[in-house]
Structure formats: C-alpha cells, structure tokens
Amino acid sequence: MLIEQKEVDKAAEIIQEVQIETYGSLEKKEKLDYVLYQVWIMLLKKDYVRTYIISKKIDPSHLTDKGLEEQKVKYYNLMIQYYLHEKLHMDAARSYKMIYDTVRDNDELENKVHLRKAAFENYALYLSLAPYSNEKVDFLNITHKFYKKELDANPVLCELIKGFLTSEIILLHSDRLLQSMSNYEPFLKQAENSELHFKALERGIVHHNLKVVEMYYTRITIKRLAVLNNISPEFLEEEISALVCEGLLRAKIDRISGVVDFRRQMQPHDYMNDWSGDVKSLLGLVEETCHLINREHVIHTK
C-alpha cells in the first residue's frame, strides 16, 4: 500500500524493523521470501548499505535445497543490482553464472529460454569487464571448457572469451568493439553505468595485452606499447601502474627515456641462489675433471 503511494521510505522503515529470522514458527521458504522482500525494498530506496547488511542474513549455500530455485534466482538478481551499483563486475558475473546454472538445471522456472540466454550473455560480458585477476582467468577457462555449446551459439562472445585465453594481443578498435557490443544488455543506454561498462571492457583488453607483452618482452618503449594497444601513452601508464600496485604485473617505467622494463628485480636471496648454483656447477666440473685425470693416469701406468 505504501509503495503504491510512493512512500518507499516509510515502507522501508516498517519492513526493516522486523527480524524475521528469529521467528521459529515460519518455514525456511517463508523467511527467505521476507528477507528478499526487505532487500528489494532497500534497493528501491537506494539504500545500498542496508541492502548489503540485510543480504548477509541469507547464506547462499542454503539456497541449494530443492524447491528453493525461484528464491535462489531472485536472490542473485537482487544482488546483481547491488554489485553493478558498486561496480563489482566479477561478483555480478559470478551471480549471473549461478542464475544460468540454476535455470538450466530446472525445467519448472518460467521464461526459461529467455532467462537462460540473458543470464549466459551477461555472465560472459561481466566476466570480460572484470579487472584482470587469477580468479578471472580461472572463470574464463571454466567457461571455455564447460560452456562450449553456449559459446558456439554466440560467435561474438566466443571470440571475446577465446581472445582473453590466448597468448596473443587483442586488437583494440573502439568503434568496432562498441558496435559489436551495442545490442547486449550491459551496454544499452538504460543500463546503469553503461558508458563505464564499455571503458571497463577496454581496460580489461588492455590488461590482457600487457600480460601478453610481459611474456615476450623485457623492455619496450611506451610509444610502441601504446601503438600495439591502440591507446594513448597516458592511459597506458595509468593501467600499468594499476596492475603493478595490485601485484599482477612486474614492470618499471623510465619516464625520461620512455621505456617500460618488464625484467624481474633481483632480490638478495635470488643472488644467493644464483651464486650457489654457479658454485655447484663449478664443483661438478672440477669433480668430472679429476675423474678424467685419474682415468688417464690409470691407463698410462699400465
């Protein structure tokens, strides 16, 4: 009633005061429905702090029980709204994957075909938007290995996912990329932060390219690296710095000479290990030489 009258704040104040989880007489499904309603009200109010706090009342591992598939899909759909507002693309991708797997394995959910298609597309896209991390690489490999049928049905997403898994530079043509992605939900104008999503995808491609360059180069000029990525040197420096700060890239920028150095900085224990290896190799040569001398001595004494 209050929501219909657009008094969302008053409705939220009433709803959030009820600690439904303490009611022992209610069934698990009824409690879940009420907590999900509380989360929905908080999202409607745009109170994202309370949304996060209330969502913690639900343990995702408890949503795997049979008969709770609808609540599970609703929970992850609500959490996706929170994650997208907070720009947590990896969490959004993980949620879409859970929705897709749930709908795929359950024939009773409504709008199954449309929901499956949208969930998988958004999963693959938000995974691509996520900043580079070991978790992202793991999910990319899982997608390529276990979702081949879904990828084959969508050539654009298939090419994108495979590109992130190769040890080759992905050519970044912004206009062409924007055109190919313009029909997908994250890039529609009505989607929240749609403009930022395209920039995040560009950044994800640049991060991939930097990791590829690190594999094949020890030193390269910033200008040449910027040309390879088709971006400005200033933007490139920002992304290199971000990856280095997160411990995901080994690099040093010499701004005076305009060179990026990808060589690993030697630590004291590395020098000791090298020295130990050299001494061991030298002793091996000495031992082998002594053995040959002794053998020649035995032969000539006969």
Side-chain angles (χ1 to χ4, degrees), residues 9-37:
D9 292 345
K10 189 178 290 186
E13 186 178 350
I14 295 171
I15 290 294
Q16 71 186 24
E17 290 179 357
V18 180
Q19 304 296 325
I20 194 69
E21 63 275 11
T22 62
Y23 288 38
S25 58
L26 295 177
E27 294 183 0
K28 183 178 180 178
K29 188 174 182 180
E30 292 175 327
K31 291 181 181 180
L32 276 173
D33 286 334
Y34 192 87
V35 174
L36 290 172
Y37 187 74

Side-chain angles (χ1 to χ4, degrees), residues 89 127-134 136-137 140 163-170 172 199-215 225 228-229 231 235-250 262:
H89 296 138
L127 180 60
S128 303
L129 295 180
Y132 183 88
S133 65
N134 293 328
K136 177 179 178 177
V137 175
L140 286 169
F164 279 114
L165 289 173
T166 60
S167 298
E168 299 176 4
I169 288 177
I170 301 175
L172 181 57
K199 292 180 180 178
L201 181 57
E202 282 187 321
R203 187 174 293 110
I205 293 174
V206 171
H207 288 183
H208 166 79
N209 290 345
L210 287 173
K211 293 295 293 182
V212 171
V213 170
E214 183 191 23
M215 294 171 59
L225 191 53
L228 289 174
N229 286 278
I231 57 175
F235 179 64
L236 180 63
E237 283 190 28
E238 290 179 8
E239 296 310 312
I240 292 175
S241 300
L243 285 176
V244 170
C245 289
E246 292 173 10
L248 298 172
L249 186 72
R250 293 193 309 266
F262 291 103

Side-chain angles (χ1 to χ4, degrees), residues 117-275:
K117 184 174 182 293
F120 182 77
E121 288 179 354
N122 290 333
Y123 160 60
L125 287 169
Y126 282 113
L127 180 60
S128 303
L129 295 180
Y132 183 88
S133 65
N134 293 328
E135 183 184 17
K136 177 179 178 177
V137 175
D138 289 341
F139 270 91
L140 286 169
N141 281 299
I142 289 170
T143 306
H144 184 256
K145 184 176 180 180
F146 297 106
Y147 297 87
K148 285 186 177 181
K149 184 179 178 181
E150 292 84 348
L151 289 174
D152 291 339
N154 196 318
V156 175
L157 296 182
C158 184
E159 184 181 356
L160 187 64
I161 296 297
K162 285 183 178 179
F164 279 114
L165 289 173
T166 60
S167 298
E168 299 176 4
I169 288 177
I170 301 175
L171 297 177
L172 181 57
H173 300 288
S174 299
D175 295 336
R176 193 184 306 169
L177 184 65
L178 181 60
Q179 185 178 1
S180 63
M181 295 294 166
S182 58
N183 294 326
Y184 291 103
E185 185 179 319
F187 303 98
L188 297 176
K189 290 184 178 180
Q190 59 266 32
E192 187 176 3
N193 299 321
S194 59
E195 294 180 0
L196 296 177
H197 289 163
F198 180 70
K199 292 180 180 178
L201 181 57
E202 282 187 321
R203 187 174 293 110
I205 293 174
V206 171
H207 288 183
H208 166 79
N209 290 345
L210 287 173
K211 293 295 293 182
V212 171
V213 170
E214 183 191 23
M215 294 171 59
Y216 298 108
Y217 286 81
T218 54
R219 298 174 81 247
I220 186 173
T221 63
I222 293 177
K223 288 183 179 179
R224 176 58 180 160
L225 191 53
V227 170
L228 289 174
N229 286 278
N230 197 25
I231 57 175
S232 66
E234 293 77 14
F235 179 64
L236 180 63
E237 283 190 28
E238 290 179 8
E239 296 310 312
I240 292 175
S241 300
L243 285 176
V244 170
C245 289
E246 292 173 10
L248 298 172
L249 186 72
R250 293 193 309 266
K252 290 176 68 177
I253 300 176
D254 186 344
R255 302 190 71 179
I256 297 175
S257 59
V259 173
V260 182
D261 192 333
F262 291 103
R263 287 176 296 186
R264 186 167 65 91
Q265 185 177 2
M266 296 285 284
Q267 300 295 327
H269 65 270
D270 293 323
Y271 287 109
M272 291 299 297
N273 289 336
D274 288 346
W275 176 82

Side-chain angles (χ1 to χ4, degrees), residues 293-302:
I293 292 172
N294 289 331
R295 190 180 69 176
E296 291 295 324
H297 180 71
V298 170
I299 293 172
H300 288 293
T301 54
K302 288 182 179 179

